[in-house]
Structure formats: structure tokens, C-alpha cells
Amino acid sequence: NMSQPQQLRDESDFDQLPDNIPISATIADVEEKKGFIDYFRFVVEVKTKGGSKYLIYRRYREFFSLHQTLESKYSPDDPDRPGANACVLPPLPGKIYIGNKKEIAESRIPELNTYMKRLLGLPTWLLLDDTLRMFFYQTEQDSQHAPRALRRLRPPTRKVKTVKAPKMDLFSSPRAEAMFDFRGNGKAELNLKRGEVIFLLRRVNADWLEGTANNQTGIFPESFVKIIKPLPESDSEGEGGGHTYSCLRCFLLTPSGVETRDVCVQEALTIQPTYNELVSRMRNVFKVDDIALNYRDPEGDLIRLLDDEDVQLMIKEGRRQQGQVQRPVNQFPWELHVSMASDLSVYGSEP
């Protein structure tokens, strides 16, 4: 007496599957995402039974958790005799902890392609599993992402004009005024002081502009400035859409003074980074290894962070005080104060 799911295996059952069931998936590309920690994700092209095609963006860890869930639901106790509602799943390539992230991602493509091919070739009833369908489903983020990625890959096109226009006076050229200080983090980024005028050269993407201030040229987040005269339309392609970057204000407290940086990451303002991600990023930004992370409570005292729960508290506290400080729209409402691990003087009189 075969159970219902087992009988679903013949052709006619495939015909009865809904049209949005994925029937094939292949990796089209690997894309870097610069979050608190830079990582790579796979751009997967999915085809459905109904003939539609779309792209989804998944990290290896998402494949890993899909596999774990499916194993816990369907792996047979005895692989040689899988019972009803059990199924031998294809193997997933294992975790790799050391090495160049891009090379690791590239090297996984063939194995993950084989994995997805075998997964989608399993008995028809398994294709209806919610976890499996959600993994291959195009989320709103996936669908919004496509053009932006392609836009980022497109080289900046600066048309070279052969005819020299008569020199315009400065006040008719595209420009902006800095509404907030911005301390760049890297050679390409332009430092801004509140009140400075920046002459705009071009739009880099939805969030960044390139311009000149104080004889320095560089890129800066549009959210830190007020546009006085916008760039001509053709130069400002890629506007619209939400912010793809958020900026974190950080301070390095040293005996000789405080160093300020604005670190911009491709993350939503609502993200809760892990403690380890923040430590790793701060070591990278300030080029110091032995550091402690802190935040200021409403009384102005430094509170040291030790784990993910502390990070959540800091973020909660930052959101509570959100309205009291004027910030760029895409600046995190919390700030990090980085001190030397051995320097306890920053905590005032406390032990």
C-alpha cells in the first residue's frame, strides 16, 4: 500500500504541479556585497514550470541552512530503504573557513549547480516543500536588485566633449552644500565639513556623488549634502530607489585624541550586525588589532560591548534617542566608540 506522496511520482503528477514551481536553477554570476563584512553571493537564474525566468541572490550559508532543514525533514533513517515521506538528498559541498572569499565562491559554482540540479530532480512531492519553494522564490529584494547590480557593473561613462564651452562662472555649475561632516574611509572618498560647497562632477550610483571641495576630488554619500544646483539629467542616471548604503559614525579614542570615521556599508539601516562583524570591521578601518568596542549611554558614559546581546542593546538605545540628533537619512542611529583594549582610563573612575 503506497502512501499518497509516493504515488505522486509519475508524469501526470508533474503536470498537476503549480506553474510557479522551480524546475531548474543555475548560477549566472558571483557578486560581492560590501556589508560590515564583505561577502560573495551567487546570482542564480531560476526557471519555473510555467516558463518564467528570474534571478535570485543567495549566500552559501543560505544553501547550507536549506540543506539542513531538508535533511531534518526528509533524510531516511536507513538510506538503503527510504520509507514514505523520506528521500535521499544530494550532498552539499562543505563549509570552507580559510582562503580568498572570491576564489572560494567561484570554486563552488560547479558543485552548487550540480546540487540544485539534483535537488530539483527529486520526487515531485518534495518540490512542493515550503522551505524549498521559499529558497527559489524571487523575493521583493531579489526583484529590486537586478537593475541596480547591472548599473553598478556598468563603467562610469563620462562623455568627452570636444567643443570647449565658454568657462561658466562658479555659481551656475552643479553644486551642493555639506549639511554634515563626513570623514571618508579610503583614498577615493572626499572629506566634508559642514557648510562647505562641493562642485559636483557626476553621479556614481543611487547613493554616491563625485565632486570637488578644497581642491580635493572624491566621492561622498549624497545624504550628507543638500543639492543647490543638480547635475544635468544625463549625468544623474541611477537616481531613485531606496538607499543601498548606510553610514556608521565611529570614533577611535587614543591618548592623543579622537579620530572620527564614517564607514559606509551596503546594508539596510535596520541591520543588526554581529559583535564579531563589528570588531573585524573596526580593526580594518583603524588598522589596530587589540581593540574594545563601546557605545555611549544617554548619560554619556562609555559602555563596553562584549557580545551580540550588547550590540542589540546599543542599537535599541540608539533608536530610542533617534529624534534627538540631526543625522543624514541613511546614517545608523547608533555610533561606535573604539578604544584600546588595555586602556581603561576611557571608562572614567570605574574599574
Side-chain angles (χ1 to χ4, degrees), residues 332-350:
F332 290 104
W334 43 279
E335 299 178 335
L336 272 186
H337 295 258
V338 179
S339 57
M340 304 298 154
S342 54
D343 180 8
L344 299 180
S345 68
V346 294
Y347 303 105
S349 55
E350 291 165 47

Side-chain angles (χ1 to χ4, degrees), residues 17-301:
L17 284 176
D19 274 353
N20 64 2
I21 286 285
I23 54 167
S24 80
T26 43
I27 293 171
D29 200 1
V30 172
E31 180 185 280
E32 185 171 21
K33 183 164 184 320
K34 293 182 175 298
F36 281 100
I37 285 195
D38 299 349
Y39 59 82
F40 285 85
R41 52 188 180 179
F42 299 97
V43 185
V44 182
E45 186 181 52
V46 179
K47 292 184 181 134
T48 66
K49 180 186 164 220
S52 60
K53 260 190 205 177
Y54 52 79
L55 296 177
I56 60 173
Y57 299 79
R58 300 290 179 265
R59 293 180 67 170
Y60 171 78
R61 62 160 62 161
E62 293 171 282
F63 279 94
F64 192 81
S65 92
L66 166 72
H67 187 71
Q68 283 190 312
T69 307
L70 293 177
E71 272 200 321
S72 68
K73 283 187 184 175
Y74 303 116
S75 258
D77 301 330
D78 177 357
D80 295 331
R81 291 185 312 171
N85 285 347
C87 190
V88 179
L89 297 165
L92 179 73
K95 287 195 168 182
I96 303 171
Y97 293 97
I98 288 176
N100 171 311
K101 289 182 182 177
K102 184 171 184 160
E103 285 167 13
I104 291 174
E106 299 274 3
S107 72
R108 281 186 166 141
I109 293 176
E111 297 172 312
L112 286 175
N113 275 337
T114 304
Y115 177 74
M116 291 189 292
K117 186 177 180 179
R118 289 187 181 168
L119 200 56
L120 295 176
L122 287 172
T124 320
W125 56 268
L126 203 132
L127 296 183
L128 292 166
D129 176 86
D130 284 348
T131 319
L132 185 76
R133 289 176 75 175
M134 280 311 298
F135 179 86
F136 287 108
Y137 180 73
Q138 189 183 37
T139 63
E140 197 179 339
Q141 280 152 319
D142 289 329
S143 62
Q144 286 170 353
H145 186 85
R148 195 172 280 152
L150 303 176
R151 191 154 57 217
R152 249 205 338 271
L153 298 176
R154 188 184 306 158
T157 49
R158 254 166 149 171
K159 294 188 185 68
V160 181
K161 297 186 175 70
T162 42
V163 185
K164 269 271 195 274
K167 184 100 179 78
M168 291 196 300
D169 71 305
L170 291 179
F171 295 100
S172 58
S173 48
R175 62 193 191 282
E177 181 188 342
M179 301 305 283
F180 302 92
D181 291 354
F182 176 71
R183 300 293 302 167
N185 183 40
K187 290 192 174 52
E189 294 177 19
L190 184 66
N191 288 335
L192 302 177
K193 269 210 159 19
R194 193 187 161 152
E196 266 177 359
V197 172
I198 306 110
F199 293 99
L200 304 176
L201 297 172
R202 67 181 179 107
R203 173 173 292 284
V204 181
N205 62 22
D207 289 282
W208 294 80
L209 295 167
E210 184 180 27
T212 302
N214 286 330
N215 297 324
Q216 304 281 317
T217 295
I219 62 171
F220 55 91
E222 183 176 5
S223 54
F224 280 67
V225 304
K226 179 174 82 185
I227 304 286
I228 300 170
K229 186 167 195 296
L231 286 158
E233 276 311 299
S234 62
D235 289 347
S236 60
E237 113 184 272
E239 251 173 305
H243 290 283
T244 51
Y245 280 84
S246 304
C247 298
L248 174 64
R249 173 62 56 95
C250 346
F251 306 94
L252 178 67
L253 314 176
T254 69
S256 54
V258 179
E259 208 181 309
T260 308
R261 287 288 168 79
D262 288 293
V263 177
C264 297
V265 292
Q266 268 180 306
E267 298 284 9
L269 271 184
T270 48
I271 185 159
Q272 297 216 351
T274 65
Y275 173 77
N276 288 340
E277 285 174 342
L278 290 177
V279 171
S280 156
R281 188 54 184 248
M282 290 301 108
R283 282 179 178 150
N284 200 321
V285 166
F286 292 114
K287 307 286 179 264
V288 185
D289 276 340
D290 211 9
I291 54 173
L293 302 187
N294 313 274
Y295 70 99
R296 289 205 186 278
D297 69 7
E299 284 68 57
D301 292 325

